[in-house]
Amino acid sequence: MVPLFLQKTHRNLLKIYKAIAIFLTTAIPVETSGDTIAIIAGLDLVGSVPAYTALISSTGEIMPLLFSGDMAISGSIVSVSMNSSKISLIGGQTQTGSNPAYGALVSPSGEITTLTIDGLPGMHGIINSVAINGSGNGIIGGRDTTGPIYAAIVPPAGNPITPLLFSSPISAGGIINTVAINESQNGLIGGQGFYDFQPAYLASVSPSGDLTPLTLTGGIAITGSISSVSMNASGNGLVGGSDMTASQPAYAALIGSTGVVNPLTLTGGIATTGRITSVSINSSGAGIIGGTDLTGSQPAYAALINPTGTVTPLSLMGSVATNGIINSVATNNKGDSIIGGQDLTGSQPAYAALISSSGAITPLDLGVNMAINGTILSVAIDDLGNAIIGGQDLTGSQPAYAALISPTGAVTPLTFLGDMAISGWISTVALPKVITEAPSNLEGYQSKNDFGLQYEFYNQLSWTKSPSPGITSYLIYRDGTEIASVNGSTYTYQDHNRKKGVSYTYAIIAVGLGEIESLPITIAISP
């Protein structure tokens, strides 16, 4: 959710720029010269305040999407997610009429397929969070603004969506703040109930859409909220939020693949009063959490989480460690992470840093204006270490801000056109999952080398190369055990000294950029 203080539009300043805005808003979407690598979204704060979403190319060019209807007049996109095929799912609200919820699929070329959200949310509601997996299945969550909770499964075609059936009492009143989905189409949703003392709500979602509420313990089960969830391919999750009883401590927990909730032991002031605003977990079960410690001078807080639940707070540097907030965190499958937020001391500059798997912190240089007054609202990082950040430059007319981050920490701010260069913010960013595509057409047969007095049997393998760029090698497995590797330009292998009449099962795995492995292709060679 966007902080309330960012929702003040500073009308007097906007009047100064009105003449410029009229000219700049005639700019048409950019025809990008590179492949789509990211999606960003937020709010254009000029004029009628239309929704804003854009695709980002590998050359750093911005291609704004062309919304139709009310979203082009007034609306907001608050969550985006992009899969490995660079198909995106976006969600938010149309802020005209009765303010209906809004969701859409976006193709890699920017074509928009609007979701049909029926019922009350389609009349007045909001989608707070979206997630999409590699096969194009998605999940969206939010609420009908008259009270009822809302979430739905989104198929690859976009429509029809399937609303989830919540049971009493949360079906009558509540909100979904955050959703996640993995490649097996299992999901995790979190939020808060609007009944009794307003307890936190957490549930797993099956591929068919069945909801299983998870058992929370402690104060958060009485009064609290889940603000962020993350889920890996194994079905393990990481969640964060706030226990709103007594002193209102922060809350975080690991979720086992069977749905068991294991609360984390947070230490320091945040264990007394604080909140976790963002979490991220990787394929090995390691994660990162971020938020703010609301005791004393209210320092920013971030910590690494190992798969067994050990919490290692990060020693943030500079004045953000005195007073600040971490709004967003993300980690990749190698354990490298990025965090973003705001230093709330002095002129209140933006803050972002890369975090190594060992916890080493590299603060990023975000530019002159952001170093004076700004905020980072959303971050994302891929398995190659490339990252993107989004937020707002809070100097002058308060333009939107977004930047690409290299694995070494080089910051390349994106150049906005039109209204966003005058006043706006980027509240959500996403990168596609980096994958290595598998080789294909694996063939094999047994043959014989006859040396006269001696002979041997060998199994001959051949395959078609992976279409992914930068393939460095192919791994060869026999009956589940790695037996060899060949370079990325070799597409055959002979497995010598095999027994006649014995069946063998082989698998080939491509290794690509960043040592990311493909799924295996297999073949059985039988006598």
Side-chain angles (χ1 to χ4, degrees):
M1 298 294 290
V2 177
L4 289 177
F5 75 90
L6 288 177
Q7 299 180 24
K8 299 177 181 178
T9 61
H10 305 275
R11 299 183 186 279
N12 291 333
L13 287 172
L14 295 181
K15 290 178 182 178
I16 298 174
Y17 291 89
K18 185 174 181 180
I20 303 173
I22 292 172
F23 171 75
L24 289 177
T25 52
T26 62
I28 62 173
V30 177
E31 291 292 336
T32 59
S33 60
D35 294 333
T36 297
I37 62 164
I39 186 169
I40 62 176
L43 193 62
D44 174 348
L45 292 173
V46 175
S48 60
V49 194
Y52 181 85
T53 303
L55 300 177
I56 309 301
S57 78
S58 56
T59 57
E61 294 173 291
I62 301 175
M63 184 177 75
L65 302 185
L66 291 175
F67 287 103
S68 60
D70 291 340
M71 287 294 282
I73 299 172
S74 186
S76 178
I77 299 298
V78 297
S79 181
V80 299
S81 178
M82 178 179 275
N83 70 10
S84 55
S85 299
K86 300 177 182 178
I87 297 169
S88 300
L89 183 58
I90 64 176
Q93 184 179 44
T94 302
Q95 294 171 346
T96 60
S98 59
N99 295 339
Y102 180 85
L105 287 176
V106 180
S107 75
S109 61
E111 297 172 351
I112 300 172
T113 301
T114 302
L115 303 181
T116 301
I117 301 175
D118 294 323
L120 292 176
M123 298 172 61
H124 31 64
I126 185 169
I127 301 301
N128 291 320
S129 184
V130 303
I132 189 171
N133 67 13
S135 59
N137 293 292
I139 186 170
I140 59 177
R143 64 176 294 222
D144 164 10
T145 49
T146 64
I149 198 167
Y150 180 80
I153 298 295
V154 180
N159 289 304
I161 63 176
T162 303
L164 301 183
L165 298 177
F166 292 88
S167 57
S168 180
I170 199 167
S171 58
I175 185 171
I176 296 299
N177 296 319
T178 175
V179 303
I181 192 170
N182 67 11
E183 298 306 315
S184 300
Q185 208 180 331
N186 293 303
L188 195 61
I189 61 176
Q192 185 177 26
F194 292 161
Y195 57 90
D196 294 338
F197 297 100
Q198 300 192 348
Y201 179 81
L202 183 65
S204 62
V205 184
S206 75
S208 60
D210 294 326
L211 279 170
T212 302
L214 303 184
T215 302
L216 298 172
T217 57
I220 198 167
I222 300 172
T223 304
S225 180
I226 299 296
S227 56
S228 183
V229 301
S230 180
M231 192 179 205
N232 66 16
S234 301
N236 298 303
L238 179 60
V239 305
S242 180
D243 171 351
M244 296 177 181
T245 62
S247 61
Q248 302 191 356
Y251 178 85
L254 285 175
I255 311 299
S257 59
T258 60
V260 176
V261 180
N262 300 296
L264 301 179
T265 302
L266 305 178
T267 57
I270 200 166
T272 301
T273 305
R275 61 176 176 265
I276 300 300
T277 55
S278 183
V279 304
S280 180
I281 192 172
N282 64 19
S283 59
S284 66
I288 186 169
I289 60 177
T292 185
D293 172 352
L294 294 173
T295 64
S297 60
Q298 301 190 354
Y301 177 87
L304 298 180
I305 313 298
N306 78 3
T308 63
T310 300
V311 181
T312 304
L314 298 175
S315 298
L316 301 177
M317 297 177 284
S319 49
V320 74
T322 301
N323 187 6
I325 184 171
I326 300 301
N327 291 319
S328 182
V329 303
T331 192
N332 64 19
N333 288 327
K334 295 187 175 181
D336 298 318
S337 304
I338 186 168
I339 60 177
Q342 188 174 19
D343 174 351
L344 296 175
T345 64
S347 61
Q348 301 190 348
Y351 177 82
L354 293 178
I355 313 294
S356 73
S357 57
S358 63
I361 302 172
T362 303
L364 302 178
D365 182 357
L366 304 180
V368 175
N369 287 349
M370 293 291 279
I372 297 173
N373 189 4
T375 186
I376 299 300
L377 298 172
S378 183
V379 302
I381 189 170
D382 67 21
D383 286 343
L384 300 180
N386 300 302
I388 187 169
I389 59 177
Q392 187 176 31
D393 173 353
L394 293 171
T395 65
S397 61
Q398 303 191 353
Y401 178 87
L404 299 177
I405 314 296
S406 76
T408 59
V411 180
T412 304
L414 301 179
T415 301
F416 288 95
L417 298 175
D419 293 346
M420 295 293 281
I422 298 173
S423 187
W425 69 64
I426 298 299
S427 56
T428 176
V429 302
L431 293 169
K433 180 181 178 181
V434 178
I435 63 168
T436 297
E437 294 187 67
S440 58
N441 301 322
L442 178 57
E443 297 179 347
Y445 59 88
Q446 189 169 89
S447 190
K448 179 181 179 181
N449 278 326
D450 194 337
F451 305 112
L453 296 177
Q454 291 183 324
Y455 63 88
E456 65 136 0
F457 290 96
Y458 67 92
N459 291 335
Q460 175 72 49
L461 302 173
S462 65
W463 59 91
T464 301
K465 68 178 183 179
S466 164
S468 294
I471 299 299
T472 58
S473 63
Y474 292 94
L475 306 180
I476 296 96
Y477 287 76
R478 182 207 313 128
D479 295 333
T481 300
E482 183 179 344
I483 59 171
S485 66
V486 297
N487 66 47
S489 59
T490 299
Y491 315 119
T492 63
Y493 181 75
Q494 291 182 348
D495 186 17
H496 291 277
N497 296 313
R498 296 301 92 211
K499 293 180 180 180
K500 183 179 181 180
V502 175
S503 296
Y504 298 93
T505 299
Y506 291 90
I508 309 295
I509 292 174
V511 181
L513 297 172
E515 300 182 353
I516 297 172
E517 297 182 1
S518 74
L519 294 173
I521 55 169
T522 61
I523 191 172
I525 298 179
S526 302

